[in-house]
């Protein structure tokens, strides 16, 4: 029986996947991810892709809120910054100056993420003086200002809606059979982001983020420059959020300001609350949960529609009600989120049958 | 040359004078105790030394450098570490990670190399993990190294608090009531650790402590604060014999165990 995990070197002790059971589990997940696109239909692929993008964004938000303790209500707008920036870089920015060219897709999403990091850092400046609720209000202002800018610069952003050129990757049109093709792009990027964020929090900078969250004065007395660290957290967080936004834009090909409103910020906060604050895995669980919940309710609704014919008109309300209810239930019963639930289940079986 | 000289500092909070014209000289290698009743200004003095508060008047000089313009994170880099009176650990982190934060100023890796966890970042993590494990062995907290500090008993947390400061490899260690609330056995352990820190690691210690027998045993020099003023300073024997100290403080307090 496995009574614990022991290590002979610190290098091994730091490895991410420690027991052979964990390696097996990882292998199974990867195998499932490889098989999935060949057995799933387009709407299922669409959900998987949406989850991958949401997971990248939720990891970004969790870095700031869950790990560094800086509340942000501006997530939606930062997604928008990434989306519009990449849309501009791949085309319209050139058209504005009479050109026809565009930045290659991969370069463009990277630039868009960097640009969002810059904007995020700028709107992180109030975190020097503001904490908690006051910082939340300041980021709400950021949310409104950014959306205002997007809707009031139609030359740049197309105003109501913005159509992108098809996404070309090494000459391949990614938007043809888009759900399938994008899957092979989005899943690897989501995996890379997950790895990068996990690594971040087992090294120097990530620890300084958590230190600032837990005890800012003690962190400062230990040599951590609070302001620089908070700004860095805003930058890293916004980088991933911007990346998610850029990917969303190229996947959907049409973007409009209403996708990036405060409601989006709230959904992302819900993801990390339900998934688990300060947990990378939790960000992914939360992204999956919040993406699947409305889809699940809709398909349930369709099944009972011959019994309750009016269910269609009520669906949006049921979805919103369920959304609110789930957040409240998690806040009350499992504030550490799905990550904690999963952790408890694993622990139970790790020591099974002697789990008391 | 004095390692730290506190020169005539005064610290006020609105109408309250927490420290009034206090001067102290701490020599390298000393265990320097600061005693005094509750509210005497002991913690405030440490806050001035670590830069959390800036005195309105007077000067602090550490190894020849004026500290007036230094922020707390600069002072950490000069080699001053602190264990807080009201435990200020990073609750959500493991013991190991708390101590590794102590290594922050000695590490280099940034966001990108950290995310890659490759090359320097990885080497650096292993190298500093070894240093931290030494401290964990020294403080005899091997068994709890992977526990989240929020779940630890009070006495252990105090020990981790000292370990985290020690991980900074400071030249001067500020210990604010490291034994408060401990039982006799835990106090003895802590006293032994402080002696080792001072003698084997050669770290100067400023020790705030209410337990007089501990203070008299451990310290080379003692300063007595009362209502923000320095009442007396000298070797433990001198201080014990000082009539003012006996009158104002030791007289009633010596026999009484402090309960925090
Ligand atoms: N941040 C603050 N704001 C206002 N007053 C303060 C502050 N910090 C300390 N004081 C006041 O300064 C005086 C000295 O407090 P300090 O904490 O330095 O005492 P102490 O000697 O450490 O006491 P104890 O033995 O209880 O720890 C007290 O009157 C206290 O109320
Ligand atoms: Mg005190």
């Amino acid at each position: 029986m496995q009574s614990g995990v022991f290590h002979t070197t610190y290098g091994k002790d730091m490895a991410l996947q420690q027991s052979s059971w964990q390696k097996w589990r990882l292998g199974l997940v990867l195998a499932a991810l490889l098989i999935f696109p060949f057995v799933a239909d387009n709407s299922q692929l669409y959900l998987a892709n949406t989850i991958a993008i949401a997971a990248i964004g939720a990891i970004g938000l969790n870095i700031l809120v869950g790990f560094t303790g800086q509340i942000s209500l501006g997530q939606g707008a930062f997604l928008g910054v990434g989306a519009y920036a990449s849309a501009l870089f791949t085309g319209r920015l050139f058209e504005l100056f009479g050109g026809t060219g565009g930045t290659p897709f991969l370069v463009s999403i990277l630039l868009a993420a960097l640009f969002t990091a810059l904007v995020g850092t700028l709107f992180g400046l109030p975190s020097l003086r503001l904490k908690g609720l006051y910082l939340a209000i300041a980021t709400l202002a950021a949310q409104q200002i950014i959306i205002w800018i997007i809707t009031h610069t139609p030359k740049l952003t197309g105003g109501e809606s913005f159509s992108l050129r098809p996404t070309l990757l090494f000459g391949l049109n990614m938007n043809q059979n888009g759900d399938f093709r994008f899957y092979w792009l989005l899943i690897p990027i989501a995996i890379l982001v997950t790895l990068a964020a996990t690594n971040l929090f087992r090294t120097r900078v990530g620890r300084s983020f958590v230190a600032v969250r837990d005890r800012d004065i003690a962190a400062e007395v230990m040599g951590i420059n609070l302001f620089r660290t908070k700004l860095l957290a805003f930058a890293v967080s916004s980088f991933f959020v911007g990346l998610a936004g850029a990917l969303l834009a190229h996947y959907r090909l049409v973007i409009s300001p209403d996708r990036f409103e405060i409601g989006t910020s709230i959904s992302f906060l819900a993801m990390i609350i339900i998934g688990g604050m300060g947990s990378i895995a939790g960000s992914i669980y939360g992204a999956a949960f919040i993406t699947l919940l409305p889809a699940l309710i809709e398909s349930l609704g369709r099944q009972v529609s011959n019994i309750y014919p009016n269910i269609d008109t009520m669906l949006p309300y049921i979805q919103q009600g369920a959304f609110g209810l789930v957040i409240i239930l998690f806040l009350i019963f499992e504030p550490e989120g799905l990550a904690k639930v999963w952790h408890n289940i694993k622990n139970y079986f790790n020591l099974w049958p002697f789990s008391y | 040359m004095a390692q730290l000289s506190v020169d005539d500092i005064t610290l006020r909070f609105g109408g309250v004078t927490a420290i009034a014209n206090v001067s102290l000289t701490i020599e390298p290698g000393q265990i320097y105790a600061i005693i005094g009743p509750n509210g005497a200004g002991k913690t405030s003095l440490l806050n001035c030394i670590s830069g959390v508060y800036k005195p309105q008047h007077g000067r602090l000089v550490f190894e020849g450098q004026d500290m007036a313009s230094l922020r707390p994170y600069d002072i950490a880099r000069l080699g001053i570490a602190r264990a807080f009176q009201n435990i200020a650990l990073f609750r959500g982190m493991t013991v190991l990670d708390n101590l590794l934060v102590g290594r922050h100023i000695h590490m280099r890796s940034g966001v990108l190399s950290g995310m890659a966890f490759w090359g320097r970042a990885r080497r650096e993590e292993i190298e500093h993990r070894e240093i931290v494990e030494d401290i964990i062995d020294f403080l005899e907290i091997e068994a709890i190294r992977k526990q989240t500090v929020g779940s630890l008993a009070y006495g252990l947390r105090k020990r981790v608090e000292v370990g985290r400061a020690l991980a900074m490899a400071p030249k001067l260690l500020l210990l604010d009531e490291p034994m408060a609330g401990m039982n006799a056995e835990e106090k003895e352990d802590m006293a032994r650790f402080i002696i080792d820190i001072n003698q084997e690691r050669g770290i100067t210690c400023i020790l705030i402590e209410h337990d007089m027998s501990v203070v008299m045993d451990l310290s080379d020099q003692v300063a007595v604060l009362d209502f923000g003023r320095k009442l007396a300073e000298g070797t433990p024997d001198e201080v014990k014999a000082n009539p003012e100290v006996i009158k104002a403080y030791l007289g009633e307090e010596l026999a009484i165990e402090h309960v925090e």
Side-chain angles (χ1 to χ4, degrees):
Chain A
M1 192 189 79
Q2 183 186 11
S3 64
V5 183
F6 299 101
H7 306 282
T8 44
T9 70
Y10 298 136
K12 275 189 199 145
D13 190 30
M14 290 175 193
L16 287 179
Q17 304 297 326
Q18 302 210 319
S19 63
S20 59
W21 156 232
Q22 280 172 315
K23 285 186 185 128
W24 267 102
R25 204 175 56 213
L26 184 69
L28 280 176
V29 171
L30 286 178
L33 285 174
L34 283 176
I35 297 167
F36 181 75
F38 299 103
V39 295
D41 61 29
N42 272 348
S43 68
Q44 287 165 336
L45 277 171
Y46 171 82
L47 280 177
N49 291 340
T50 307
I51 291 171
I53 294 172
I56 297 167
I59 288 172
L61 184 65
N62 219 337
I63 288 173
L64 186 65
V65 180
F67 284 95
T68 318
Q70 311 296 303
I71 293 179
S72 168
L73 294 175
Q75 170 87 4
F78 291 132
L79 277 170
V81 172
Y84 278 95
S86 195
L88 283 165
F89 292 147
T90 42
R92 185 178 297 241
L93 208 53
F94 292 81
E95 286 159 21
L96 277 179
F97 295 101
T100 52
T103 319
F105 165 64
L106 287 180
V107 179
S108 175
I109 56 173
L110 209 64
L111 284 178
L114 284 172
F115 181 72
T116 314
L118 194 75
V119 175
T121 311
L122 200 68
F123 282 106
L125 286 172
S127 68
L128 173 65
R129 295 251 174 261
L130 304 180
K131 279 186 181 178
L133 199 56
Y134 298 96
L135 181 62
I137 299 296
T139 58
L140 186 61
Q143 167 76 40
Q144 302 303 349
I145 291 168
I146 291 171
I147 294 298
W148 190 89
I149 292 174
I150 291 175
T151 47
H152 285 76
T153 52
K155 266 218 174 83
L156 221 53
T157 63
E160 286 293 295
S161 91
F162 186 148
S163 299
L164 286 80
R165 300 176 185 173
T167 312
L168 289 178
L169 186 63
F170 308 121
L172 188 73
N173 182 350
M174 292 294 289
N175 298 98
Q176 217 168 51
N177 193 8
D179 295 322
F180 183 81
R181 288 189 179 168
F182 257 93
Y183 181 90
W184 296 106
L185 182 73
L186 293 174
I187 296 293
I189 293 181
I191 291 174
L192 275 182
V193 168
T194 305
L195 266 179
T198 307
N199 283 340
L200 181 66
F201 289 101
R202 53 189 189 136
T203 48
R204 176 174 176 269
V205 175
R207 277 193 300 266
S208 73
F209 287 2
V210 182
V212 168
R213 174 195 74 188
D214 281 357
R215 270 297 173 133
D216 51 357
I217 301 284
E220 198 173 23
V221 168
M222 300 182 71
I224 293 169
N225 181 333
L226 291 186
F227 188 43
R228 277 234 305 261
T229 306
K230 286 181 190 174
L231 285 189
L232 191 58
F234 269 95
V236 175
S237 162
S238 316
F239 178 89
F240 289 129
V241 176
L243 180 64
L247 290 167
L248 187 73
H250 292 287
Y251 178 42
R252 300 275 174 85
L253 283 187
V254 180
I255 48 177
S256 53
D258 58 299
R259 276 190 187 288
F260 307 113
E261 288 283 1
I262 179 80
T264 307
S265 301
I266 307 278
S267 312
F268 273 87
L269 278 173
M271 287 178 203
I272 63 172
I273 289 171
I274 289 170
M277 287 278 190
S279 160
I280 299 293
S283 316
I284 301 170
Y285 305 152
F289 192 94
I290 292 295
T291 309
L292 294 178
L293 185 68
L296 196 77
I297 290 175
E298 203 180 303
S299 79
L300 279 180
R302 233 178 285 125
Q303 279 169 32
V304 297
S305 61
N306 40 1
I307 313 171
Y308 304 102
N310 286 335
I311 195 98
D312 273 358
T313 53
M314 284 159 60
L315 265 182
Y317 304 108
I318 297 176
Q319 283 168 336
Q320 276 175 11
F323 178 81
L325 186 69
V326 167
I327 296 176
I328 290 169
L329 287 179
F330 266 95
L331 283 175
I332 295 174
F333 293 109
E334 192 50 275
E336 286 178 67
L338 287 168
K340 184 64 190 267
V341 174
W342 174 231
H343 181 83
N344 290 344
I345 295 172
K346 270 192 310 194
N347 271 358
Y348 183 86
F349 284 104
N350 260 353
L351 300 173
W352 192 84
F354 297 105
S355 38
Y356 302 106
Chain B
M1 190 188 70
Q3 189 171 29
L4 175 70
S5 79
V6 176
D7 186 11
D8 195 28
I9 64 166
T10 297
L11 176 73
R12 284 185 218 95
F13 296 105
V16 182
T17 304
I19 305 173
N21 303 100
V22 169
S23 297
L24 306 169
T25 306
I26 289 113
E27 303 292 338
Q30 279 185 332
I31 294 183
Y32 192 109
I34 298 174
I35 62 173
N38 294 121
K42 306 179 295 296
T43 300
S44 300
L45 186 62
L46 292 199
N47 276 325
C48 289
I49 297 173
S50 51
V52 177
Y53 297 146
K54 292 289 171 190
Q56 281 89 358
H57 178 266
R59 249 160 54 99
L60 290 136
V61 178
F62 182 71
E63 298 189 333
Q65 180 163 8
D66 191 319
M67 292 162 67
S69 62
L70 299 182
R71 307 278 311 139
Y73 50 82
D74 301 317
I75 291 171
R77 285 192 159 74
L78 289 184
I80 299 179
R82 171 166 176 195
F84 291 83
Q85 176 176 3
N86 309 311
I87 301 169
L89 291 171
F90 307 122
R91 288 187 57 89
M93 287 190 204
T94 62
V95 171
L96 208 54
D97 278 344
N98 266 276
L99 267 65
L100 279 167
V101 176
R103 301 299 303 164
H104 185 86
I105 49 174
H106 301 288
M107 298 173 85
R108 298 267 81 82
S109 73
V111 173
L112 288 182
S113 62
M115 284 183 177
F117 200 69
W118 199 260
R120 185 174 74 188
R122 194 183 140 81
R123 267 199 313 279
E124 191 178 67
E125 283 301 317
I126 293 176
E127 181 189 319
H128 289 268
R129 172 77 184 270
E130 276 161 12
I131 296 169
V132 160
E133 288 286 347
D134 263 352
I135 293 166
I136 287 177
D137 286 347
F138 166 67
L139 292 175
E140 297 158 15
I141 47 178
E142 298 92 336
I144 55 162
R145 58 153 84 74
K146 295 227 169 141
Q147 283 186 36
T148 310
V149 295
S151 67
L152 296 177
Y154 180 81
L156 281 176
R157 274 193 249 174
K158 275 274 184 203
R159 211 180 268 198
V160 176
E161 176 86 34
V162 172
R164 186 180 66 172
L166 205 53
M168 292 169 72
K171 296 174 187 157
L172 171 65
L173 178 59
L174 314 175
L175 297 163
D176 198 345
E177 307 197 15
M179 303 174 199
M182 287 186 167
N183 64 33
E185 193 188 333
E186 289 173 323
K187 274 188 187 179
E188 245 168 60
D189 286 339
M190 188 55 83
R192 182 163 52 84
F193 294 141
I194 293 171
I195 292 172
D196 284 350
I197 289 168
N198 178 248
Q199 295 188 345
E200 270 155 42
R201 296 176 186 241
I203 297 171
T204 313
C205 296
I206 296 182
L207 170 69
I208 296 179
E209 185 48 56
H210 280 297
D211 187 326
M212 281 311 135
S213 62
V214 170
V215 170
M216 296 304 160
D217 279 353
L218 291 186
S219 50
D220 302 306
Q221 282 280 308
V222 183
V224 187
L225 291 188
D226 190 25
F227 290 110
R229 291 174 311 119
K230 186 173 79 175
L231 216 55
E233 184 183 15
T235 64
D237 288 332
E238 285 166 1
V239 167
K240 249 191 292 195
N242 185 316
E244 261 209 89
V245 176
I246 294 172
K247 198 175 74 189
Y249 179 57
L250 292 178
E252 8 13 283
E253 304 254 346
L254 191 55
I256 305 166
E257 263 288 359
H258 250 272
V259 187
E260 284 291 293

